[in-house]
Amino acid sequence: MQKFIGTGVALITPFKDDLSVDFNALEKLVNYNIENGTNYLVINGTTAESATISKQERQQIINAIVKVNANRVPLVLGIGGNNTMAVVEDIKNTDLSNIDGILSVAPYYSKPTQEGFYQHFKAIAQATQKPIILYNVPGRTAKNMDASTTIRLAKDFKNIVGVKEAGNNTQQYLELLRDKPADFLIISGDDDLALGVTLAGGSGVISVIGQAYPKAFSNMINCGLEGKNKEGYATHFKLMEIIDLIFAENNPAGIKTVLQELGICKNTVRLPLVSASKELENKIATFVARF
């Protein structure tokens, strides 16, 4: 699965002031990332405010990105949830002909046992031949999928090709890197840990901040893949402040504010999220102006 090694970005969904999807801004964002080194794009992930996107809008967004991308980089589509049967039906009923892989978030709210996680992803793996990247983000789902469960899934299903691990748990990353099958991808979902994970043997990142600074972030991850720790950390240190800032209130309000300062899109979000506070907006603007 070489196509998912390096820097992937979890694209935001740009909105206009009336909260409709801003397709011009989306085109600008996609081109900006591809032209500046991003290796693959994730569509309709949680950073895209997928919980607020209708099925019709999702298909329009997919179509728009497929058209702009023009087969330049691989595309990953977020399809997940806490109703296993509904996720399976969604996968079966979605046109995946232009999609290279599926990113599927661990069931949220339900807090399944480890066997529940396994059976959930087993059903998803059996519903498609597309490569699947598991997404473990316990801070949002309220339950951690243990490293042993991830490794069990990796060994049992050939189309489960990797995990986006976002528990901000260094020990769990190391357990995954130690125990994984040789070709299984450990992808950082934590921007602040991405370089260290990559240097330790990870396959890169699915990043939030990377879509704002694709050249710098992808260069940093490439340093990690090449074992160039000093060069990689030189960039990491420059990005530390903005990584903290974009997650200070809620995601994606922070990253949308960065992108607004860069002239790519507005910082509009849909409820229940609200835009970044003026205080945070000012801090982000100060960083962007001097970076």
Side-chain angles (χ1 to χ4, degrees), residues 167-170 173 188 190-198 233 236:
N168 215 258
N169 183 334
T170 302
Y173 274 117
S188 176
D190 299 301
D191 282 347
D192 56 340
L193 299 181
L195 176 59
V197 170
T198 306
Y233 274 109
H236 172 82

Side-chain angles (χ1 to χ4, degrees), residues 7 21 64 70 78 87 89 109 112 115 121 131 167 211 222 229 238 242 245 286 288-289:
T7 300
V21 178
V87 175
E89 285 304 306
Y109 188 82
E115 185 62 23
F121 284 118
Q211 67 197 294
N222 287 339
N229 62 318
K238 293 177 183 177
I242 195 62
L245 287 174
T286 299
V288 172

Side-chain angles (χ1 to χ4, degrees), residues 55 58 79-94 104-108 110 116-128:
K55 285 192 174 182
R58 185 183 73 171
I79 306 180
N82 64 343
N83 179 342
T84 307
M85 291 176 65
V87 175
V88 167
E89 285 304 306
D90 196 5
I91 290 172
K92 290 181 176 179
N93 293 326
T94 301
S104 194
V105 69
Y108 42 80
S110 303
F117 282 124
Y118 179 88
Q119 294 297 333
H120 172 81
F121 284 118
K122 174 183 177 180
I124 291 171
Q126 292 176 335
T128 180

Side-chain angles (χ1 to χ4, degrees), residues 109-185:
Y109 188 82
S110 303
K111 299 175 74 172
T113 63
Q114 295 306 309
E115 185 62 23
F117 282 124
Y118 179 88
Q119 294 297 333
H120 172 81
F121 284 118
K122 174 183 177 180
I124 291 171
Q126 292 176 335
T128 180
Q129 293 184 339
K130 288 287 181 179
I132 295 167
I133 300 171
L134 311 176
Y135 181 16
N136 183 42
V137 57
R140 292 182 178 273
T141 63
K143 186 74 178 282
N144 181 54
M145 183 165 66
D146 293 345
S148 58
T149 303
T150 299
I151 298 303
R152 182 184 171 198
L153 287 161
K155 291 178 177 178
D156 288 354
F157 302 98
K158 290 183 178 180
N159 63 329
I160 295 182
V161 301
V163 61
K164 177 186 176 185
E165 180 67 25
N168 215 258
N169 183 334
T170 302
Q171 181 64 26
Q172 183 147 310
Y173 274 117
L174 294 176
E175 289 177 14
L176 288 165
L177 289 166
R178 180 192 65 194
D179 299 337
K180 73 180 186 70
D183 56 352
F184 188 72
L185 308 177

Side-chain angles (χ1 to χ4, degrees), residues 7-12 25-42 68-69 72-73 207-218 255 259 262 264:
T7 300
V9 297
L11 292 169
I12 58 100
L26 183 61
E27 179 178 348
K28 187 184 297 186
L29 179 64
V30 169
N31 280 324
Y32 173 66
N33 272 268
I34 295 173
E35 291 165 4
N36 285 283
T38 296
N39 298 109
Y40 62 98
L41 304 173
V42 177
V68 176
N69 179 48
R72 287 180 288 173
V73 299
S207 174
V208 175
I209 193 59
Q211 67 197 294
Y213 296 108
K215 186 172 289 185
F217 209 86
S218 61
I255 184 62
L259 293 169
L262 293 171
I264 293 173

Side-chain angles (χ1 to χ4, degrees), residues 221-278:
I221 294 300
N222 287 339
C223 285
L225 292 169
E226 296 166 11
K228 299 177 180 177
N229 62 318
K230 288 185 179 180
E231 296 92 330
Y233 274 109
T235 302
H236 172 82
F237 294 146
K238 293 177 183 177
L239 292 168
M240 281 175 62
E241 180 184 355
I242 195 62
I243 290 170
D244 286 341
L245 287 174
I246 65 169
F247 296 113
E249 292 180 356
N250 65 65
N251 185 46
I255 184 62
K256 281 191 169 183
T257 300
V258 179
L259 293 169
Q260 177 173 267
E261 292 298 320
L262 293 171
I264 293 173
C265 68
K266 293 181 177 291
N267 69 345
T268 311
V269 293
R270 287 178 175 176
L271 289 170
L273 300 182
V274 294
S275 297
S277 65
K278 279 296 177 185

